[in-house]
Amino acid sequence: MNNQATESTKTKKTKRNYYRKPAVKIFALGGLEEIGKNMYAIQYGKELILIDAGIKFPDADMPGVDSIIPNIQYLKENKHMLKGIFLTHGHEDHIGGLPFVLRELSAPVYGAGLTIGFVRTKLEEHGLLGSSELHVINEESVIRFRQLKVRFFRTHHSIPDSLAVVIETPHGTIVHTGDFKFDFTPTEQATDWGQMAKIGRSGVLALLADSTNSEKPGFTPSEKAVGRAIRETFRKCDGRILFATFASNVHRLQQVVEAAEECGRRIAVIGRSMERAFKIGQELNYIRPSKHQLIDVRQLDRYPDHEVVIVCTGSQGETNAALTRIATGAHKHVSLYEGDTVIFSSSPIPGNTQNVYRSIDLLLRAGAEVVHGSIFDIHASGHGCEEDLKLMLRFMQPKFFIPIHGEYRMLRKHAEIAEQTGTERDNIFLLRNGQPLHVTRHKARVGKDLPAGQVLVKGSTTNPWEETIMEERRALGTNGVLIVVLTIDPKQNKMIGRPELITRGFVYVRESAEIISAGTKVVRTTVRLLQRRKKFIAQQWEQKIIERLTEYCETTMDRTPVVMPIFSYVEQPAAAGDQE
Amino acid sequence: MNNQATESTKTKKTKRNYYRKPAVKIFALGGLEEIGKNMYAIQYGKELILIDAGIKFPDADMPGVDSIIPNIQYLKENKHMLKGIFLTHGHEDHIGGLPFVLRELSAPVYGAGLTIGFVRTKLEEHGLLGSSELHVINEESVIRFRQLKVRFFRTHHSIPDSLAVVIETPHGTIVHTGDFKFDFTPTEQATDWGQMAKIGRSGVLALLADSTNSEKPGFTPSEKAVGRAIRETFRKCDGRILFATFASNVHRLQQVVEAAEECGRRIAVIGRSMERAFKIGQELNYIRPSKHQLIDVRQLDRYPDHEVVIVCTGSQGETNAALTRIATGAHKHVSLYEGDTVIFSSSPIPGNTQNVYRSIDLLLRAGAEVVHGSIFDIHASGHGCEEDLKLMLRFMQPKFFIPIHGEYRMLRKHAEIAEQTGTERDNIFLLRNGQPLHVTRHKARVGKDLPAGQVLVKGSTTNPWEETIMEERRALGTNGVLIVVLTIDPKQNKMIGRPELITRGFVYVRESAEIISAGTKVVRTTVRLLQRRKKFIAQQWEQKIIERLTEYCETTMDRTPVVMPIFSYVEQPAAAGDQE
């Protein structure tokens, strides 16, 4: 291995020095044992570079959370070390966390043209564009730091301008694939096979590679096959065509432009992110509509049905996306009618399956025909399947291997694949987020955990959330709340007047009166017992009331709300008592 | 068509009478445009029979709901007409609603042996066994009412003893398939093809058929293929085997018993519903373990690893199921170790996908190998695919066709299939729950909607839930609650003392003090303005406080809790005022 050979020669002269050379630390702040919020770090001595800064969207059981980003405490504590953030491509799970990072830390950001295009819009929305240092790079760029040197090679993915990152360290070369697949018949931006072979031949110390589709056999289909399916489907349609896909899949959009051109159809673009993708895609010449091919959605009526394609967002059944609004009849400019064909050029992300089907059902009901991925070859994944992964491993022949981007079983499957392609079993590391791998040219070992995990974000705040809050919300959201207001004279250990019960999200209006009067009785009985004690202890009262009311609710209604006793104290208790 | 020919002869004599003959009403209270809570009704004059009484489990966005049953208002209003409830098979989505129906209505219940076996346990749990009339029937039974006559034929499904229901009415024969697939090489309980052909030949007026897999091409694989895969997988295992599947798939359980026998393995059964299935299955001779083959889970240690199979629940990743508890290390008797193989003989129901994958990841981490449906041929669906559906349609050649059991796009696809197999397009009806089809031997038309829809159930209460409660819960669950307690002297329109703010599920403890003191200020400012008014109007105060606090939370924290002002009134305000 080339780099290491050089090192080795040097080492002979200054042996003690060599042993003092620190190991390279490779670790993830996000992206291991999960899909989303990717963030990897390579650290050598006092130089730290970051690869990607992604975001993840929450599950249904995280009420009130807008998004999830990696915990960047380690970066904040080591600000001075951070030399640069390298973005492999422009998907949200790789760039969406950037505004949150750049609000806390400053570092130059590197990415290919389209990636930086998307980043620019994103930072602008967050008011961070002015203060950020953005660099457009390509597969020929070399970024040099004192000890680390960073290069790139092109990969294929479901967004143009995807790059793998090659980091040369004093111990050897580390390769991070980003998200990738191989495409033997790409529509454009062909991989430079020679360049990849060269990197591999010159020796790869460690490879970090995308595991998303490791459980799927074979090769991932080519984007060109999708192009064919799009053209064939377009040819069969007599009416309007609505085409929904991921806005970031700019090559796909160009394929739609070409298919539409062939069929003499004009294109109306709807949905904010789709409009943005067309704008950036045209600026970079990735999307090349003919003159007058793009029309405004308000001009749709001027053209016969068989002369238009509506390209829109909503392929995941997202509530506010264009297609969903069209499906529910809530779109300002487009309403469906018989003869329309809706094409979903996408496959549902696991959590979205039910939303997508809901959209499809609505569209069918509105009279449209629906073509979706599970039936036709109208979509191809952007992630490599088993054979793609083997090919990458064969190219790189890494000494050490770290499967990344995937849930645990995918990482594990990728590890098996790496073993099959020749990496030694003991040199494959299944890491957790925050677990650093200390790598030298001879060996690798897992170091002590660094702070990692997730930060739950609401709006644009980055405060870490507390799990107790989430628990309180779950409890409130399950059976509502029952508030008991008592006016108390603490000096006399007495309740003044009567308890007032107020509920929210607990009982139906119909049942309400009966339950509240019965509940009030329970409180009065409980208070009567409490008043017999000598001293007023708020905690005791609270606890007893919660206990009794919860018990009452459980036995009579089989559900237990959050019970909250609230005490309002009379201000001059002694005076009131004296007068009696 | 045979039945109608007889009718027709009679009609010639008393023509006026014939025209007075009411139409047969066919309608669903559940099971259309959805999967689950199946309930179909056939009504002729004053005779009404019910087919199935299912339950459905709620989505994540229905906090606090345990299950969903069909709205049975129509049945309650027409109690006297209900002659019988016919159960096609023993799955929850076909029998789970029975306790709720039988608590409100009484009617004899008919089902095959295993179905009634499961029903019996269920009714016992609900304390309804004594008051219910249960009849075990089989494919030779005939149940006669005054006008309607009910017969059955055997079908294949993922539970033994599945029956289709054949209802002879004065207008002709109606066939309801229940859930079905065809199995050319069944493990047992072969379909009587001759009987089916005979029913079809003698004329079917209307067919209601299962649409669950209508979007899937080809035939559904045979249960025998699964048996082969099970045996092959067993043979490859050296360590313990944990086998998870649906407890109700009793034929599958017998295949496990056979495979275990072949490999010299004993079987330990865990999970309440799995134990029940083994018990009922053995009573009916569907599960036939050899002597001493079943062992208690506490005896596991006595046998070497390669001599045991643990059959357990949890194939859907359900939180409290045996396999999930084993995976998390929370099971009393079984803990995993390296060498164990866990087989998921199931495919995840859409809403459960993520739970299943979570289970798999936990099992892998605990050191087990995992074999699951998406990789091996270790499971077959119980529902017929496109070709099965065509075969059923060919057998029955119905005049009218109603696709049932499926979401809208599945029903629609099934309608297309029916058209291809010869049913006239105008004779195919895509109904909604509650939409009755009025059928005579000549024509069918859609009648006026009957009450239908869903009833949300918590515990064992059947009160219909109000959507407002659900909304309140969602609001509480999203951002928590902020309670403001004010002591007020209404006569003087004055606040006494200071407002108290209490939160739950809203802010972190860390932020809490600051936000509460700022919120308190907001309330005091608002109150100052309110006190300038002449009269105390509680509603005005409430509204203003909610408005201001919500605004404050939104602008400073970008999230809005449910704000609840609570007023506690001072009892003798005038006196207090006078003394000042």
Side-chain angles (χ1 to χ4, degrees):
Chain A
M1 286 186 241
N2 228 357
N3 280 335
Q4 294 190 2
T6 330
E7 283 310 323
S8 162
T9 336
K10 216 167 84 190
T11 313
K12 273 174 204 155
K13 296 179 206 157
T14 56
K15 200 162 184 189
R16 280 189 54 217
N17 246 349
Y18 170 73
Y19 282 109
R20 274 210 213 116
K21 194 155 58 176
V24 180
K25 268 197 266 180
I26 303 175
F27 57 97
L29 296 169
L32 291 177
E33 306 196 343
E34 67 178 345
I35 300 271
K37 73 167 174 74
N38 292 290
M39 183 180 278
Y40 292 84
I42 311 286
Q43 182 183 345
Y44 179 75
K46 295 215 177 303
E47 279 182 13
L48 188 152
I49 65 164
L50 215 55
I51 298 169
D52 290 335
I55 208 164
K56 187 174 154 180
F57 300 102
D59 292 336
D61 64 346
M62 300 179 116
V65 176
D66 286 337
S67 43
I68 303 166
I69 58 167
N71 179 342
I72 56 167
Q73 193 194 321
Y74 182 83
L75 303 178
K76 286 199 254 178
E77 287 167 5
N78 296 283
K79 276 183 189 184
H80 56 287
M81 291 193 196
L82 184 61
K83 299 302 170 206
I85 303 173
F86 294 86
L87 304 174
T88 58
H89 63 282
H91 279 154
E92 282 298 299
D93 54 336
H94 294 259
I95 67 167
L98 204 54
F100 302 95
V101 176
L102 292 180
R103 201 169 284 130
E104 313 258 355
L105 303 163
S106 89
V109 176
Y110 303 86
L114 184 67
T115 312
I116 295 296
F118 282 130
V119 164
R120 198 164 274 140
T121 333
K122 182 172 293 296
L123 294 179
E124 199 161 20
E125 283 167 3
H126 282 80
L128 290 165
L129 188 55
S131 58
S132 306
E133 183 189 334
L134 304 180
H135 298 278
V136 174
I137 43 124
N138 61 33
E139 63 274 29
E140 282 162 17
S141 309
V142 182
I143 317 295
R144 279 167 230 270
F145 302 102
R146 282 189 58 153
Q147 306 272 4
L148 300 175
K149 197 159 97 184
V150 185
R151 302 169 183 274
F152 313 89
F153 63 88
R154 238 180 223 302
T155 57
H156 290 293
H157 187 44
S158 45
I159 183 170
D161 280 2
S162 287
L163 295 174
V165 184
V166 181
I167 306 112
E168 292 176 18
T169 78
H171 290 287
T173 301
I174 296 167
V175 175
H176 184 294
T177 64
D179 286 353
F180 80 97
K181 67 170 178 179
F182 285 97
D183 196 331
F184 302 148
T185 56
T187 56
E188 37 204 300
Q189 295 196 331
T191 308
D192 184 344
W193 299 77
Q195 192 191 6
M196 290 180 62
K198 197 175 143 200
I199 292 165
R201 264 202 318 274
S202 55
V204 171
L205 180 65
L207 173 68
L208 292 82
D210 174 19
S211 314
T212 313
N213 273 351
S214 64
E215 292 186 304
K216 296 189 181 144
F219 273 105
T220 303
S222 169
E223 185 64 29
K224 215 156 229 170
V226 178
R228 264 197 305 277
I230 293 175
R231 282 199 304 279
E232 275 163 30
T233 314
F234 274 26
R235 266 189 231 120
K236 281 186 214 147
C237 294
D238 301 322
R240 294 191 303 183
I241 295 172
L242 288 91
F243 190 96
T245 192
F246 299 101
S248 60
N249 201 334
V250 172
H251 286 325
R252 182 81 42 93
L253 300 179
Q254 170 59 16
Q255 302 225 66
V256 173
V257 167
E258 288 170 21
E261 182 74 40
E262 259 185 56
C263 303
R265 288 179 184 258
R266 289 170 198 258
I267 295 174
V269 178
I270 34 181
R272 206 158 60 103
S273 64
M274 194 57 86
E275 288 165 24
R276 190 160 56 206
F278 263 84
K279 186 170 162 286
I280 299 176
Q282 281 176 274
E283 281 168 15
L284 294 168
N285 206 33
Y286 293 150
I287 301 182
R288 302 173 296 271
S290 64
K291 215 178 158 192
H292 306 306
Q293 201 187 350
L294 295 188
I295 57 170
D296 191 280
V297 64
R298 280 159 297 193
Q299 300 177 318
L300 270 175
D301 294 343
R302 298 193 201 160
Y303 301 91
D305 289 352
H306 66 277
E307 285 182 15
V308 294
V309 177
I310 298 163
V311 178
C312 55
T313 52
S315 65
Q316 292 297 310
E318 309 93 322
T319 317
N320 288 315
L323 185 62
T324 315
R325 280 184 287 127
I326 293 171
T328 55
H331 197 273
K332 251 194 306 199
H333 301 299
V334 182
S335 55
L336 284 177
Y337 41 81
E338 204 128 340
D340 289 344
T341 301
V342 182
I343 300 173
F344 282 79
S345 182
S346 59
S347 62
I349 294 166
N352 296 343
T353 312
Q354 278 156 310
N355 284 341
V356 171
Y357 284 137
R358 212 166 292 150
S359 267
I360 292 176
D361 281 354
L362 285 169
L363 293 163
L364 286 170
R365 252 172 250 189
E369 288 295 320
V370 177
V371 175
H372 60 102
S374 65
I375 298 184
F376 294 87
D377 188 17
I378 204 87
H379 175 66
S381 169
H383 300 275
C385 295
E386 187 170 343
E387 300 305 314
D388 299 74
L389 304 186
K390 282 183 189 160
L391 188 51
M392 179 62 86
L393 280 155
R394 279 276 166 216
F395 265 123
M396 296 300 148
Q397 286 293 342
K399 184 173 173 68
F400 301 109
F401 177 63
I402 306 163
I404 59 169
H405 300 173
E407 295 172 19
Y408 185 74
R409 66 189 184 286
M410 303 168 188
L411 304 180
R412 213 176 117 120
K413 177 74 192 176
H414 201 176
E416 283 168 26
I417 295 169
E419 211 185 324
Q420 286 167 32
T421 56
T423 304
E424 271 175 49
R425 191 182 189 133
D426 290 343
N427 287 351
I428 300 171
F429 294 87
L430 287 173
L431 302 176
R432 283 193 311 269
N433 289 323
Q435 243 182 353
L437 190 71
H438 296 249
V439 184
T440 67
R441 67 186 188 116
H442 295 298
K443 62 173 187 186
R445 63 169 184 85
V446 177
K448 244 175 61 187
D449 275 18
L450 305 174
Q454 55 189 28
V455 173
L456 308 179
V457 172
K458 167 80 194 176
S460 57
T461 60
T462 46
N463 293 326
W465 282 47
E466 288 165 14
E467 183 53 28
T468 50
I469 293 238
M470 219 57 77
E471 266 166 37
E472 286 177 359
R473 286 184 184 175
R474 274 178 215 128
L476 287 167
T478 306
N479 280 322
V481 61
L482 171 58
I483 298 168
V484 189
V485 186
L486 301 182
T487 309
I488 287 172
D489 176 343
K491 291 221 176 135
Q492 296 198 65
N493 191 29
K494 267 208 166 153
M495 172 171 76
I496 311 290
R498 49 172 64 211
E500 197 189 347
L501 270 64
I502 300 156
T503 74
R504 212 45 81 82
F506 175 47
V507 282
Y508 331 124
V509 178
R510 195 161 23 78
E511 305 174 325
S512 174
E514 192 187 327
I515 283 163
I516 283 176
S517 93
T520 308
K521 257 183 221 158
V522 172
V523 176
R524 299 183 81 156
T525 317
T526 314
V527 166
R528 218 165 291 142
L529 289 169
L530 287 162
Q531 284 176 343
R532 289 198 196 141
R533 300 184 183 183
K534 274 190 189 148
K535 237 178 95 185
F536 173 78
I537 301 167
Q539 241 185 345
Q540 272 183 3
W541 279 57
E542 204 175 298
Q543 205 185 320
K544 258 288 173 269
I545 291 169
I546 292 177
E547 203 178 292
R548 291 294 167 87
L549 266 181
T550 305
E551 195 188 303
Y552 163 74
C553 294
E554 193 157 11
T555 51
T556 57
M557 277 163 295
D558 203 14
R559 51 195 137 114
T560 52
V562 174
V563 176
M564 292 178 67
I566 289 175
F567 304 136
S568 156
Y569 300 106
V570 172
E571 290 218 311
Q572 297 166 303
D578 289 347
Q579 287 171 355
E580 270 186 13
Chain B
M1 287 186 242
N2 229 355
N3 280 337
Q4 294 189 359
T6 332
E7 283 310 324
S8 156
T9 336
K10 217 167 86 192
T11 313
K12 273 174 203 155
K13 294 180 205 157
T14 56
K15 198 163 184 188
R16 282 188 51 218
N17 247 349
Y18 170 72
Y19 282 109
R20 276 211 209 113
K21 197 157 52 177
V24 179
K25 269 197 264 182
I26 303 175
F27 57 96
L29 296 169
L32 292 177
E33 305 195 347
E34 66 178 347
I35 301 270
K37 72 168 176 72
N38 292 289
M39 183 181 279
Y40 292 84
I42 311 286
Q43 183 184 345
Y44 178 76
K46 295 214 175 303
E47 278 182 14
L48 187 154
I49 66 164
L50 215 55
I51 298 169
D52 290 336
I55 210 164
K56 187 174 155 181
F57 300 103
D59 292 336
D61 65 344
M62 302 179 114
V65 175
D66 286 337
S67 43
I68 304 167
I69 57 166
N71 178 341
I72 56 167
Q73 192 194 325
Y74 182 83
L75 302 178
K76 286 200 253 178
E77 287 166 5
N78 296 282
K79 275 183 190 186
H80 55 289
M81 291 191 194
L82 183 61
K83 300 302 171 205
I85 303 173
F86 293 87
L87 304 174
T88 58
H89 63 283
H91 279 154
E92 282 299 298
D93 54 336
H94 295 259
I95 67 166
L98 205 54
F100 302 95
V101 176
L102 291 180
R103 202 170 281 132
E104 313 259 353
L105 303 162
S106 90
V109 175
Y110 303 86
L114 184 66
T115 313
I116 294 296
F118 282 129
V119 164
R120 198 165 273 141
T121 334
K122 182 172 292 295
L123 294 180
E124 200 161 18
E125 282 168 4
H126 281 80
L128 289 165
L129 188 54
S131 58
S132 306
E133 184 188 334
L134 304 179
H135 298 278
V136 175
I137 43 124
N138 62 32
E139 64 274 28
E140 282 163 15
S141 309
V142 183
I143 316 296
R144 279 168 230 270
F145 302 103
R146 281 191 56 155
Q147 305 274 1
L148 300 175
K149 200 159 96 184
V150 184
R151 299 169 184 274
F152 313 90
F153 64 89
R154 236 178 225 303
T155 57
H156 290 293
H157 186 44
S158 45
I159 183 171
D161 281 2
S162 287
L163 294 174
V165 184
V166 181
I167 306 112
E168 292 176 20
T169 78
H171 289 286
T173 302
I174 296 167
V175 175
H176 184 293
T177 64
D179 286 353
F180 80 98
K181 69 171 177 177
F182 285 98
D183 195 331
F184 302 148
T185 56
T187 54
E188 36 204 298
Q189 294 198 332
T191 309
D192 183 343
W193 299 77
Q195 191 191 8
M196 290 181 59
K198 197 174 143 197
I199 292 164
R201 265 204 316 276
S202 54
V204 171
L205 181 65
L207 174 69
L208 293 82
D210 175 18
S211 313
T212 313
N213 273 352
S214 64
E215 292 186 303
K216 298 189 181 144
F219 273 104
T220 304
S222 167
E223 184 65 27
K224 214 155 230 170
V226 178
R228 265 195 306 276
I230 293 174
R231 280 199 306 278
E232 277 163 28
T233 314
F234 274 29
R235 264 189 233 121
K236 283 185 214 147
C237 294
D238 301 323
R240 292 192 304 181
I241 295 173
L242 287 91
F243 190 95
T245 191
F246 300 102
S248 61
N249 201 335
V250 172
H251 285 325
R252 182 83 39 94
L253 300 179
Q254 170 59 16
Q255 301 223 69
V256 173
V257 166
E258 288 170 20
E261 181 75 40
E262 259 186 55
C263 303
R265 287 179 184 258
R266 290 172 199 255
I267 295 175
V269 178
I270 35 180
R272 206 159 60 104
S273 63
M274 194 58 86
E275 287 165 25
R276 191 160 55 205
F278 264 84
K279 186 170 163 285
I280 299 177
Q282 282 176 274
E283 281 167 14
L284 294 167
N285 206 34
Y286 292 149
I287 301 182
R288 301 174 295 272
S290 63
K291 215 177 156 190
H292 306 306
Q293 200 186 348
L294 296 189
I295 56 169
D296 191 280
V297 64
R298 281 160 295 194
Q299 299 177 318
L300 270 175
D301 294 344
R302 298 194 201 162
Y303 300 92
D305 288 352
H306 67 277
E307 284 182 17
V308 293
V309 177
I310 297 163
V311 178
C312 55
T313 52
S315 66
Q316 292 296 310
E318 308 94 321
T319 318
N320 288 313
L323 185 61
T324 315
R325 279 183 289 127
I326 292 171
T328 56
H331 196 275
K332 249 193 309 200
H333 302 298
V334 182
S335 54
L336 284 178
Y337 42 81
E338 204 128 340
D340 288 345
T341 302
V342 182
I343 301 173
F344 282 79
S345 181
S346 59
S347 61
I349 295 167
N352 295 344
T353 312
Q354 279 155 310
N355 285 341
V356 172
Y357 283 137
R358 212 166 294 151
S359 266
I360 292 176
D361 281 355
L362 285 168
L363 293 164
L364 286 169
R365 250 172 251 188
E369 289 295 319
V370 178
V371 175
H372 60 100
S374 66
I375 298 183
F376 293 86
D377 187 18
I378 202 90
H379 175 65
S381 169
H383 298 274
C385 294
E386 187 170 342
E387 299 306 313
D388 299 75
L389 304 186
K390 282 184 189 158
L391 188 52
M392 180 62 86
L393 280 155
R394 279 276 166 217
F395 265 124
M396 297 299 148
Q397 287 292 341
K399 183 173 174 68
F400 301 110
F401 178 63
I402 306 164
I404 58 170
H405 301 171
E407 295 172 19
Y408 185 74
R409 66 190 184 286
M410 302 168 188
L411 303 180
R412 212 176 118 121
K413 178 72 191 174
H414 202 176
E416 282 168 26
I417 293 169
E419 211 185 324
Q420 286 166 31
T421 55
T423 304
E424 273 176 48
R425 190 178 191 138
D426 292 343
N427 286 352
I428 300 171
F429 293 88
L430 288 172
L431 302 176
R432 285 194 308 271
N433 288 324
Q435 244 183 352
L437 190 71
H438 296 250
V439 184
T440 67
R441 68 184 186 118
H442 294 299
K443 62 175 189 187
R445 64 171 184 83
V446 177
K448 244 173 60 187
D449 274 19
L450 305 173
Q454 55 189 26
V455 173
L456 309 179
V457 172
K458 168 80 193 175
S460 58
T461 61
T462 47
N463 292 328
W465 281 46
E466 289 167 12
E467 184 52 29
T468 49
I469 293 240
M470 218 60 76
E471 268 167 34
E472 286 177 0
R473 286 184 184 176
R474 275 179 214 126
L476 287 166
T478 306
N479 279 323
V481 63
L482 172 57
I483 299 168
V484 190
V485 186
L486 301 181
T487 308
I488 286 170
D489 176 344
K491 290 216 177 135
Q492 295 198 61
N493 193 30
K494 270 211 162 150
M495 173 172 73
I496 310 292
R498 48 172 63 210
E500 197 190 348
L501 271 63
I502 300 155
T503 74
R504 213 42 84 81
F506 175 46
V507 281
Y508 333 124
V509 178
R510 196 162 23 78
E511 307 174 326
S512 177
E514 190 188 329
I515 281 161
I516 282 176
S517 91
T520 308
K521 257 184 222 155
V522 172
V523 176
R524 296 182 83 155
T525 317
T526 314
V527 165
R528 221 167 286 140
L529 290 169
L530 286 163
Q531 285 177 341
R532 288 197 197 142
R533 300 186 184 181
K534 277 191 188 147
K535 239 177 95 183
F536 173 76
I537 302 167
Q539 242 184 346
Q540 272 182 1
W541 279 57
E542 203 175 297
Q543 205 185 319
K544 260 287 171 267
I545 291 168
I546 292 178
E547 204 178 290
R548 291 294 168 87
L549 266 182
T550 305
E551 197 189 300
Y552 162 75
C553 294
E554 191 157 11
T555 51
T556 56
M557 276 164 294
D558 203 16
R559 52 195 137 116
T560 51
V562 173
V563 177
M564 290 179 68
I566 291 175
F567 303 137
S568 155
Y569 299 107
V570 172
E571 293 217 309
Q572 297 168 307
D578 290 349
Q579 286 172 356
E580 267 182 19

